[in-house]
Amino acid sequence: MQLDFSSKETWLHRINPSLKLFVLIMLCIVVLLVHNLLFMVNLTIIVLILFLCFTGQPLKRILLLFIPFFVVFLSTSSSMILFGQGNTTWFKWGLIHITEESFFRGLLVGFRALLFAVLGLTFALTTRPVYLFYSLMQQVKLKPKYAYSFMAALRLIPIMLEEFQTIQNAMKVRGVVRQTGIRSVFFKMKAYSIPMLSGSIRRAHRIAIAMEAKRFSDTRDRTYYYEIGFSKHDLVFILYFVILLLGGYYGAVKGI
Amino acid sequence: MERIAHVDKLRLKFPGDTSLIFKDLSSTIYKGEKVLLLGPSGCGKSTLLQVLSGLIPHSIEVPMKAEELVSPPSFGYVFQDPDSQFCMPFVDEEIAFVLENINVPKQQMIDRIHHHLQQVGLHLPNIHTSIQTLSGGMKQRLAIASVLALKPDVLFLDEPTAMLDPKGTKEIWNVLKEVGQEKTVIIVEHKIDHVLEFIDRIILFNEAGQIIADGPKEIILSTYQEEMREQGIWFPGVWEEYLDTTPLLRLRTPFEKKEKILDVQNFKGFRQKEEKIRVDQLQAYSGEWIVIKGENGAGKSTLLHAFMQFIKTTGHCELLGTAIKKVKKQSDFMTFVFQNPEFQFVTNSVYEEIAYTLKVDKKDSREIEKKVEELLEWFRLGDHRDKHPYQLSMGQKRRLSVAASIVNEQKLILLDEPTFGQDSKNTFALLEWIEELRLKGTTIIMITHDEQITNNFATRIWTIEAGKVISDETQSISINPELVSV
């Protein structure tokens, strides 16, 4: 089984991963603090442009990934809109009580959830984990010990998926599927988790030994196969946000 | 001669174990030697290899004590499992990881990567290839290439071909012979056919972790055959000896009553919507032992998975006259023994494991007990009935997985390389059990790479090439004249 999300490379891929991570985290904090609905809408548009046009993924996959987050948007905002509190009642029917305040707060919260999701997705779709960790080692001085253990762990994920499938087949053969009742749920959980856990622990241990056998040590002075620096793309990325955010804020205040 | 690795009076035990693995063990390896450590599984050869290399105690913490311990300053270590020795996702990055560790400047890296891949004969169109897409043999080559990047004087090889088919095994040993010529090489291996011409010294262990012999290979091989047979080591000629001393059961009583078990026509198996295996037509009858042959990746396992309906299939496939998709409780009629026994275990004890399928079907408890006792005895697992399946040895795990799979007395048993990684004693015992099942009328369909099993046990051979079954030959039973006259 393979997880393949490879795509065309765009300028978003070429941005320094540490910088990208930093900017996107800052944006998340900004999103938390914004209470102006218009500004929030502008922000969403700014980020959506990047997500829809510059991740290099086929549009079909982008829309597919977008569906769950759109559902999150609808559910968070609608629950706030329908059951929130407020003074100016627009509509009331049984439990449902829509007020002006709850309507706008609902939209705000919905957009906030949506923005978090889109920011995260944009980052994940345009960043190879290996580059991210190389960059973190070089720009943020992350200890190699942590960087390489994360990279090794990422390699284990597809192997674990394959194991999961094998266990699933084995359960079929043994007739576990036919076991019924509440106890069977716990039984199945155990039957899956124990072999997977024991397998992963053993494998992680072996990889750790193999890494040390290849003279891996935790010193920071090592050479790097990928030397990751900064480029004009980074400037474009920062300017994109600075200009559009200022524009969006100005527009929101002026009420456009 | 210069000492390259040395231990004196080594005492070592594993945490939790009560007894020592080694008690006052001493050994010395000299520069340029090619040494083979040989012994039964669980005797501590791999542990000694780790001590000699210095991985124990530097990387692996194990309670140990030694009067003197010398390990080589520059060494490379190749492990047995191709999937758990890489920490990067791509071929070039993995070798680069090693080069980074020894501070090779970035400008030289690409050239070095190409050079080491060349050395092990791993010719890839693009060095930035995902390691996951490589075959087992290619992965082991990559493991050797990344070890060579360290420019080691000493190579430690811990069963580097344990997970490979015969072709891959041969290739890997050819590579190792070439790159290891100038180096000191210390090997743990129990399939020794390909290793013998390369090495010059053998250290032989017994079950208690003691060295019982140490010397030039010719002397050890000729003097200690009896011990090696006892330990289940695959020394050259072990098959011939087995065949000479054990008249095959099959020759005594050929199975007569034939019933069509499996009937397949125009059958296709799909993985992720892609056709992976195609069968025009095949039949299997009761009392047949069918071996599936073919190269790695040809689709042997896929065919078995298709029969078991683990994957999507189209076409006609009948089990005992009923379309397989309509068979209720398929596991009453056919069963599957996986390559890795551990994935099959679902309970906490050997006894429960065998009883499991019967208990799910709510069979009578006295009947269950009788059946389980019978199987425990038959597969020599009676002494271990309360152990957790994971605590068993490799051979015992394999026996348990077979016992637990056949408890329903299914008419069709599919096995995916059941003798893989087993020592000779366990292999022969397992083959004899399967043969006994066959004589009771069970149909066996088994994947194996072992020519000897194919030639001596199979009644029919299916060959698979590039996702298609290309031949179906019945193997005539060569009747031994002596036995006929009896």
Side-chain angles (χ1 to χ4, degrees):
Chain A
M1 193 187 274
Q2 261 178 330
L3 285 178
D4 188 17
F5 282 114
S6 56
S7 62
K8 287 200 306 270
E9 242 197 36
T10 64
W11 65 280
L12 277 183
H13 287 86
R14 284 178 224 127
I15 296 164
N16 183 298
S18 302
L19 179 88
K20 198 176 355 175
L21 185 66
F22 178 75
V23 170
L24 294 184
I25 289 175
M26 290 315 285
L27 280 173
C28 282
I29 294 171
V30 169
V31 168
L32 267 182
L33 301 177
V34 170
H35 289 284
N36 179 329
L37 183 63
L38 266 180
F39 184 39
M40 192 66 114
V41 174
N42 289 344
L43 248 173
T44 312
I45 293 168
I46 294 168
V47 179
L48 269 179
I49 290 173
L50 284 187
F51 175 64
L52 293 174
C53 310
F54 298 109
T55 48
Q57 304 280 344
L59 193 66
K60 203 173 140 198
R61 197 183 290 159
I62 289 183
L63 293 178
L64 208 66
L65 287 169
F66 196 59
I67 291 171
F69 298 105
F70 195 66
V71 172
V72 169
F73 168 73
L74 285 181
S75 63
T76 33
S77 56
S78 65
S79 61
M80 195 71 162
I81 289 171
L82 296 180
F83 310 112
Q85 304 228 319
N87 298 322
T88 330
T89 303
W90 281 358
F91 179 79
K92 191 165 178 179
W93 183 68
L95 274 179
I96 297 171
H97 183 199
I98 303 177
T99 62
E100 189 185 331
E101 289 87 348
S102 72
F103 180 78
F104 287 116
R105 202 172 313 127
L107 280 184
L108 194 72
V109 172
F111 274 116
R112 199 173 279 165
L114 188 71
L115 261 171
F116 282 141
V118 174
L119 284 172
L121 270 179
T122 310
F123 182 75
L125 288 175
T126 59
T127 315
R128 254 198 83 203
V130 170
Y131 291 149
L132 172 64
F133 286 110
Y134 268 83
S135 163
L136 287 176
M137 278 191 287
Q138 289 166 39
Q139 271 91 46
V140 193
K141 303 292 173 220
L142 179 74
K143 278 190 156 194
K145 185 165 73 181
Y146 300 114
Y148 284 94
S149 26
F150 269 108
M151 287 191 268
L154 283 175
R155 230 188 76 75
L156 287 178
I157 294 172
I159 298 176
M160 283 179 69
L161 283 177
E162 225 164 282
E163 270 178 14
F164 181 77
Q165 210 157 45
T166 313
I167 296 172
Q168 208 170 18
N169 289 338
M171 301 283 129
K172 240 188 252 172
V173 175
R174 298 296 305 280
V176 177
V177 190
R178 293 204 296 273
Q179 200 175 2
T180 50
I182 294 187
R183 280 178 63 196
S184 81
V185 176
F186 290 101
F187 185 85
K188 279 172 203 164
M189 254 162 62
K190 213 175 67 184
Y192 278 103
S193 52
I194 291 177
M196 298 234 348
L197 269 177
S198 82
S200 315
I201 291 171
R202 214 170 319 162
R203 191 159 282 139
H205 181 65
R206 282 193 207 141
I207 292 184
I209 295 169
M211 283 167 72
E212 290 201 21
K214 287 174 184 165
R215 301 278 191 293
F216 176 69
S217 61
D218 199 26
T219 52
R220 283 226 179 83
D221 100 80
R222 52 189 285 131
T223 51
Y224 293 104
Y225 182 51
Y226 298 121
E227 279 168 6
I228 292 173
F230 295 94
S231 64
K232 64 172 193 299
H233 297 294
D234 300 309
L235 200 65
V236 173
F237 185 63
I238 293 175
L239 286 179
Y240 176 87
F241 278 113
V242 169
I243 292 171
L244 288 181
L245 282 181
L246 285 178
Y249 185 69
Y250 183 75
V253 170
K254 288 274 168 191
I256 303 166
Chain B
M1 274 194 290
E2 194 187 327
R3 277 196 326 192
I4 208 98
H6 172 74
V7 278
D8 192 30
K9 296 232 170 85
L10 171 71
R11 281 165 175 247
L12 184 146
K13 70 171 216 156
F14 278 122
D17 278 5
T18 42
S19 57
L20 294 168
I21 297 188
F22 299 123
K23 204 176 167 209
D24 295 332
L25 180 125
S26 304
S27 189
T28 310
I29 312 286
Y30 296 97
K31 196 178 173 170
E33 275 190 318
K34 317 272 186 279
V35 188
L36 175 66
L37 309 184
L38 208 55
S41 54
C43 74
K45 329 172 273 259
S46 297
T47 313
L48 181 63
L49 201 65
Q50 289 171 344
V51 172
L52 287 171
S53 65
L55 282 180
I56 295 177
H58 295 304
S59 304
I60 311 167
E61 279 174 32
V62 171
M64 63 158 279
K65 203 177 95 183
E67 297 267 293
E68 199 188 356
L69 188 61
V70 181
S71 37
S74 125
F75 69 88
Y77 205 114
V78 181
F79 299 85
Q80 54 171 278
D81 183 0
D83 268 323
S84 53
Q85 48 185 319
F86 305 119
C87 74
M88 303 296 284
F90 287 91
V91 169
D92 55 338
E93 291 171 358
E94 180 61 34
I95 299 179
F97 166 70
V98 180
L99 297 172
E100 290 173 359
N101 290 343
I102 52 173
N103 279 322
V104 172
K106 177 184 156 67
Q107 298 76 28
Q108 298 171 20
M109 281 191 189
I110 294 282
D111 288 338
R112 283 282 293 271
I113 292 170
H114 280 290
H115 169 71
H116 294 302
L117 288 176
Q118 207 79 40
Q119 265 182 309
V120 296
L122 193 59
H123 305 288
L124 298 168
N126 180 358
I127 55 168
H128 193 68
T129 301
S130 167
I131 294 179
Q132 257 221 292
T133 61
L134 303 182
S135 71
M138 286 159 93
K139 281 183 194 160
Q140 283 304 68
R141 278 176 202 235
L142 172 61
I144 298 167
S146 56
V147 155
L148 289 177
L150 291 166
K151 301 213 163 145
D153 299 326
V154 186
L155 283 180
F156 291 94
L157 311 174
D158 187 359
E159 299 194 49
T161 60
M163 308 280 203
L164 304 183
D165 62 2
K167 194 169 155 242
T169 303
K170 212 172 150 204
E171 285 170 5
I172 289 298
W173 281 114
N174 286 341
V175 169
L176 282 170
K177 280 169 199 170
E178 215 175 283
V179 299
Q181 223 159 36
E182 309 280 301
K183 304 181 196 300
T184 312
V185 186
I186 308 169
I187 306 166
V188 168
E189 181 67 76
H190 63 243
K191 290 185 290 185
I192 61 177
D193 296 16
H194 299 286
V195 194
L196 271 186
E197 52 174 304
F198 179 51
I199 52 151
D200 35 50
R201 175 178 160 198
I202 295 178
I203 301 177
L204 188 65
F205 290 80
N206 65 7
E207 252 146 40
Q210 290 158 325
I211 295 178
I212 51 172
D214 181 354
K217 66 174 169 191
E218 295 81 11
I219 298 177
I220 304 280
L221 280 181
S222 55
T223 329
Y224 290 93
Q225 267 205 10
E226 187 54 43
E227 282 79 359
M228 289 197 268
R229 184 177 323 113
E230 266 306 297
Q231 298 176 357
I233 290 165
W234 286 109
F235 60 89
V238 72
W239 259 106
E240 287 74 10
E241 212 179 82
Y242 170 74
L243 294 174
D244 282 346
T245 52
T246 330
L248 288 182
L249 298 163
R250 173 158 76 100
L251 303 181
R252 292 201 296 255
T253 31
F255 189 79
E256 294 296 344
K257 257 197 336 219
K258 283 205 168 178
E259 183 192 355
K260 198 191 266 182
I261 300 287
L262 193 68
D263 183 20
V264 179
Q265 267 155 36
N266 261 328
F267 187 60
K268 285 175 190 168
F270 300 86
R271 271 187 214 276
Q272 269 133 29
K273 290 181 186 162
E274 225 178 297
E275 181 189 308
K276 289 287 179 189
I277 186 77
R278 186 152 47 104
V279 186
D280 291 339
Q281 70 150 5
L282 282 176
Q283 280 85 32
Y285 296 90
S286 46
E288 280 195 306
W289 184 321
I290 299 163
V291 157
I292 302 181
K293 274 203 320 194
E295 285 194 9
N296 267 3
K300 302 185 297 291
S301 297
T302 313
L303 179 62
L304 294 193
H305 288 185
F307 287 154
M308 290 304 296
Q309 303 291 309
F310 290 163
I311 56 174
K312 283 221 167 65
T313 59
T314 61
H316 174 85
C317 177
E318 269 184 9
L319 181 68
L320 291 154
T322 320
I324 199 150
K325 286 179 184 162
K326 292 196 179 133
V327 176
K328 278 182 198 150
K329 297 217 316 194
Q330 194 190 340
S331 52
D332 278 358
F333 305 101
M334 65 199 294
T335 188
F336 188 86
V337 178
F338 288 82
Q339 208 181 74
N340 183 346
E342 274 188 15
F343 290 141
Q344 264 178 288
F345 298 145
V346 291
T347 66
N348 293 327
S349 80
V350 171
Y351 184 93
E352 286 296 314
E353 194 61 36
I354 300 181
Y356 178 75
T357 317
L358 298 175
K359 281 190 177 167
V360 171
D361 289 345
K362 302 201 172 62
K363 292 250 165 63
D364 177 49
S365 66
R366 232 171 312 153
E367 195 187 319
I368 294 178
E369 199 172 319
K370 193 171 145 255
K371 183 80 206 167
V372 175
E373 288 299 331
E374 205 177 289
L375 281 169
L376 279 174
E377 183 164 346
W378 200 33
F379 283 95
R380 297 204 320 261
L381 288 166
D383 296 340
H384 309 285
R385 65 176 69 217
D386 296 322
K387 274 196 188 164
H388 193 280
Y390 282 29
Q391 288 177 307
L392 302 176
S393 74
M394 270 287 268
Q396 290 162 345
K397 276 184 195 157
R398 169 50 73 209
R399 300 209 292 268
L400 176 60
S401 73
V402 176
S405 308
I406 63 168
V407 66
N408 261 347
E409 296 181 3
Q410 293 91 336
K411 294 205 163 174
L412 176 61
I413 304 180
L414 312 179
L415 303 107
D416 193 348
E417 297 195 56
T419 59
F420 188 78
Q422 301 284 321
D423 63 25
S424 61
K425 248 164 74 180
N426 274 317
T427 301
F428 296 142
L430 191 67
L431 290 172
E432 281 168 24
W433 281 315
I434 298 175
E435 178 66 15
E436 254 175 78
L437 285 173
R438 186 185 76 80
L439 290 172
K440 287 183 195 160
T442 311
T443 311
I444 315 287
I445 302 181
M446 172 169 152
I447 297 174
T448 183
H449 287 293
D450 194 325
E451 292 274 312
Q452 295 280 12
I453 297 177
T454 314
N455 296 340
N456 294 299
F457 286 90
T459 61
R460 202 121 72 89
I461 301 165
W462 294 346
T463 312
I464 298 188
E465 207 178 275
K468 189 172 189 298
V469 178
I470 53 162
S471 82
D472 170 14
E473 313 154 59
T474 308
Q475 194 160 242
S476 58
I477 302 173
S478 53
I479 300 214
N480 190 330
E482 277 171 57
L483 288 167
V484 171
S485 61
V486 170

